[in-house]
Amino acid sequence: MTTTEVHENQHLLAEHTQRLDWMTLAPEAFKALLRLDTAVRKNIDSRLHDLVKIRASQINHCAFCLDMHTTDALASGESVERIVQLSAWTESKHFYTAKEIAAIELTEAITVLTDGFVPDEVYAKAAQEFGETELAHLIAAIVAINAFNRFGVSTRMIPGHYTPGGSH
């Protein structure tokens, strides 16, 4: 039996209802975030940017963003294995470069600010791997995906309908 046949024979739960369409109701805020995302995209490696977006979305439990960014990463040639291992990267560092690990660590530190700051050792490792301009754009990319995640989670955006090349 194929995966498709298994899914066809199962009764999947219904999708939840989106609370509100923030992109339509707050178009200037949405456009501002898109401009930020576009600005950082020009200055960060696309594979690294995908990993950052996926990791922040995992931490923030944003199903919509996970759907979007894993779909985009796969369409861009990222491996399923690296995407799957990303949630357990501390045990599977050998799937990533030192630069990617530094970006993932920085993503986690900025996304989860429970201690109120980004640890010096995490920042230093990122500063060692990235030039100042690239690091500034990386931080902006992490801030942008966290903002998108918070909109997605709070408005309960619905995953499963995204196609690559769509808007955020």
Side-chain angles (χ1 to χ4, degrees), residues 19-20 22 62 147-157:
R19 290 178 174 151
L20 60 87
W22 78 274
C62 185
F148 276 120
N149 288 166
R150 278 144 177 82
F151 276 113
V153 170
S154 61
T155 64
R156 296 190 73 206
M157 293 176 73

Side-chain angles (χ1 to χ4, degrees), residues 5 13 78 95 133:
E5 291 169 332
L13 298 176
E78 184 58 82
F95 288 98
T133 300

Side-chain angles (χ1 to χ4, degrees), residues 111-144:
T111 300
V112 183
L113 290 172
T114 54
D115 292 330
F117 60 91
V118 173
D120 289 339
E121 62 274 5
V122 171
Y123 186 86
K125 190 182 291 184
Q128 183 179 351
E129 293 292 335
F130 296 88
E132 285 186 341
T133 300
E134 190 178 19
L135 182 57
H137 285 90
L138 174 61
I139 292 168
I142 297 166
V143 168

Side-chain angles (χ1 to χ4, degrees), residues 79-105:
S79 73
V80 171
E81 191 171 46
R82 281 171 38 101
I83 292 171
V84 169
Q85 291 299 321
L86 190 55
S87 65
W89 67 268
T90 57
E91 295 298 320
S92 54
K93 290 181 182 179
H94 59 283
F95 288 98
Y96 309 100
T97 66
K99 189 172 188 174
E100 289 169 337
I101 291 297
I104 292 165
E105 287 180 325

Side-chain angles (χ1 to χ4, degrees), residues 50-90:
D50 287 338
L51 293 174
V52 164
K53 288 179 176 184
I54 293 166
R55 186 64 191 129
S57 299
Q58 289 171 335
I59 294 166
N60 290 321
H61 304 280
C62 185
F64 180 84
C65 291
L66 274 171
D67 178 40
M68 171 182 281
H69 301 305
T70 57
T71 299
D72 282 345
L74 289 167
S76 296
E78 184 58 82
S79 73
V80 171
E81 191 171 46
R82 281 171 38 101
I83 292 171
V84 169
Q85 291 299 321
L86 190 55
S87 65
W89 67 268
T90 57

